Amino acid sequence: MKIYLAPLRGITDCIFRTTFLRYFKGVDKVMAPFISSLSAANGTRRIKPAYLSDISPENNRNTDLIPQILSNDPNDFLFTAQHIFDLGWPEINCNLGCPSPMVTKKKRGSGLLPHQEQICRVLDVVTARWPGRISIKTRLGLDSAAELYGLLPILDQYPLSEIIIHPRLGRQMYKGRADLEAFQNCRPLTRHRLIYNGDITNYDSYRRLNQRLPGINCLMVGRGLIADPFLSAGFKAGGLYLKSDSDRDILKYFLDDLLRQYQERLCGDSHILGRLKGVWRYLAAIFEDSGKISKKITKTKKLNHYTEMVKSIFAETPFSK
Ligand SMILES: Cc1cc2nc3c(=O)[nH]c(=O)nc-3n(C[C@H](O)[C@H](O)[C@H](O)COP(=O)(O)O)c2cc1C
């Protein structure tokens, strides 16, 4: 089973991704959060330096990275894709999944799913002119799974490397459950390799998924891997992974390393804490009494309080069972 680390804007930046891969095993590829270009009134386009820095080769050493593009315009998409190719990445991913209303109301992300003809306009240009591989990450639809069911046969005409499906609707955001049946319905509708993504949070959900989706040999995992970074090693070993005392040390070194790098790159306690709180929002679940831990970390305003708090969490709180 191959495991991809999902993109989570605001959390899985280049520092998080490269550090995660140094400390934890079992992740085969990582996808960067989406980037897009900005166009000026005079028709020129540019990509924010922060976006380019996040996917630059020097900030992503030893990483099998797939940069992701969010756009509904063929030329804009191609412009960003060409920058990515110039940086040396051989694959890009097209975001058809973002559920944020700010994004969907502009017919981007999952907001593009009801507009098949526009998706084709983008893919016609990009597959003809981009020299690398292209994959798609999608939800079932904005309002109805019929949107993806209708789109999948049309996508057969394009040379896509794979399609990653998070089986929820855009309108759902993260409510309800990922719909395994809808994922299964997608399988006969496409010739492309499908990758499953959504709600894999522990060994039980992984095992259930393997039973319900036989033949799927690649999973993308997001929140579950941040909540338990040892999960992928367990999946690869084919069993429940029992965490040891040395795993507590590894997790602590990982967090210390993240903190040190954010201190080097970012200015001010609030920026640094913002990044770390994003990680803890999910990571708290690895400890018993995670609600209390999460609340405490969220309230922290000073870095020295944060480091004291983390020290005491590791000294006093067992991992949850
Ligand atoms: C905070 C946050 C940011 C996200 N950013 C992105 C993104 O930039 N690109 C993308 O394709 N998906 C993004 N996602 C969706 C995840 O990649 C993933 O599809 C979703 O969380 C479901 O998988 P999971 O249950 O394993 O987390 C984001 C999700 C969250 C919670």
Side-chain angles (χ1 to χ4, degrees), residues 5 8 11-12 16 20 24 199-202 221-232 243 251 254-255 278-288 290 314 319-320:
L5 175 65
L8 273 80
I11 301 175
T12 63
F16 181 93
F20 188 97
F24 306 107
D199 298 358
I200 306 167
T201 52
N202 52 33
V221 188
R223 294 165 299 172
L225 262 178
I226 298 172
D228 181 353
F230 299 98
L231 215 53
S232 44
K243 293 180 231 11
L251 186 62
F254 164 70
L255 287 166
V279 175
W280 274 97
R281 177 167 174 214
Y282 299 103
L283 182 66
I286 203 170
F287 292 100
E288 278 182 5
S290 58
F314 275 86
F319 278 155
S320 58

Side-chain angles (χ1 to χ4, degrees), residues 64-205:
D64 205 347
L65 182 77
I66 310 168
Q68 186 187 63
I69 300 176
L70 177 87
S71 173
N72 60 9
D73 176 79
N75 294 321
D76 173 68
F77 196 111
L78 192 62
F79 174 83
T80 310
Q82 272 160 349
H83 265 77
I84 292 172
F85 194 75
D86 291 345
L87 288 174
W89 303 112
E91 179 162 352
I92 47 171
N93 177 267
C94 166
N95 180 318
L96 292 180
C98 183
S100 155
M102 296 280 284
V103 168
T104 57
K105 75 177 181 206
K106 292 186 194 151
K107 295 190 188 156
R108 289 166 162 217
S110 64
L112 195 51
L113 285 168
H115 306 280
Q116 288 172 2
E117 59 315 318
Q118 192 58 26
I119 296 173
C120 290
R121 265 182 225 125
V122 172
L123 290 175
D124 285 341
V125 169
V126 178
T127 54
R129 297 188 45 200
W130 148 264
R133 293 192 299 278
I134 172 161
S135 63
I136 285 180
K137 180 166 180 283
T138 185
R139 288 200 174 210
L140 295 171
L142 178 62
D143 293 299
S144 151
E147 294 165 25
L148 185 60
Y149 297 161
L151 178 66
L152 283 171
I154 296 171
L155 294 180
D156 272 359
Q157 66 187 294
Y158 299 105
L160 304 175
S161 54
E162 52 206 17
I163 301 176
I164 301 143
I165 301 179
H166 174 52
R168 277 192 174 88
L169 296 171
R171 296 280 187 225
Q172 272 181 279
M173 303 292 287
Y174 289 92
K175 295 202 188 90
R177 285 204 189 142
D179 185 346
L180 294 193
E181 203 178 310
F183 182 90
Q184 278 293 57
N185 294 341
C186 292
R187 296 180 72 180
L189 300 175
T190 178
R191 71 176 175 94
H192 293 301
R193 185 168 104 104
L194 293 187
I195 294 178
Y196 175 87
N197 164 239
D199 298 358
I200 306 167
T201 52
N202 52 33
Y203 185 66
D204 272 353
S205 49

